[in-house]
Amino acid sequence: MTQTSNGSELAATINRIIAEHKTLEGPLLPILHASQQALGYIPSEAVPMIAEQLQLTKAEVHGVISFYHFFRSSPAGNNTIQICRAESCQSMGSRELEAEIKQRLKVDYHQTTADGEITLEPVYCLGNCACSPAIRVNDDIHGRVDMNKFENIVDELLTVAVELKL
């Protein structure tokens, strides 16, 4: 499930996840991870439910969600592109590539393109240092990325998206 269809379905999903993880020591992070896994993001409606069950304030739950970049508070696009920001990639031009990508997509980190196709995220190492700069597109890692290679990747993603809509 990537998005919920109604409030009762959301409540049922969140309540099930809380019940499965509530007895763990330090259950908040496992609940948040499981919620995002099940829903694709952590809806704002889930925050008071989680807070009440764990006897936390809504601010405490929201603080954890906003602190960790992994958690999303809105649905991601159909594709996620992560740009490596680790030292090796930076030394090979990822900062310049990052600026060009943001301009090309017209989004900043943690935002989704207007068509809902691409969400852009930073990542702090893809383990592909020998092929810097690197990006991950969904589950595929690409090395030695320049703007030309990036444009080809995006064109392919958008072509597939158009074909799926036909």
Side-chain angles (χ1 to χ4, degrees), residues 10 14 18 35 39 42-52 61 65:
L10 169 67
I14 295 298
I18 292 170
S35 298
L39 303 170
I42 303 169
S44 59
E45 301 88 350
V47 172
M49 297 169 64
I50 295 168
E52 181 180 332
V61 175
I65 293 167

Side-chain angles (χ1 to χ4, degrees), residues 89-151:
C89 285
Q90 284 185 42
S91 71
M92 296 301 289
S94 70
R95 291 290 184 158
E96 294 80 11
L97 179 65
E98 169 186 318
E100 291 178 31
I101 289 172
K102 287 177 178 181
Q103 183 176 355
R104 160 65 169 84
L105 297 178
K106 297 181 178 75
V107 295
D108 202 346
Y109 285 130
H110 309 292
Q111 294 180 346
T112 300
T113 56
D115 62 4
E117 285 301 320
I118 299 172
T119 296
L120 187 63
E121 296 181 343
V123 66
Y124 294 93
C125 189
L126 291 171
N128 199 31
C129 302
C131 297
S132 296
I135 66 171
R136 178 172 34 214
V137 180
N138 301 319
D139 293 325
D140 298 323
I141 295 177
H142 301 267
R144 295 187 179 93
V145 178
D146 58 18
M147 237 0 240
N148 216 16
K149 189 171 185 176
F150 180 79
E151 290 288 347

Side-chain angles (χ1 to χ4, degrees), residues 27-40:
L28 180 56
L29 284 174
I31 288 170
L32 294 176
H33 281 288
S35 298
Q36 183 155 301
Q37 178 69 33
L39 303 170

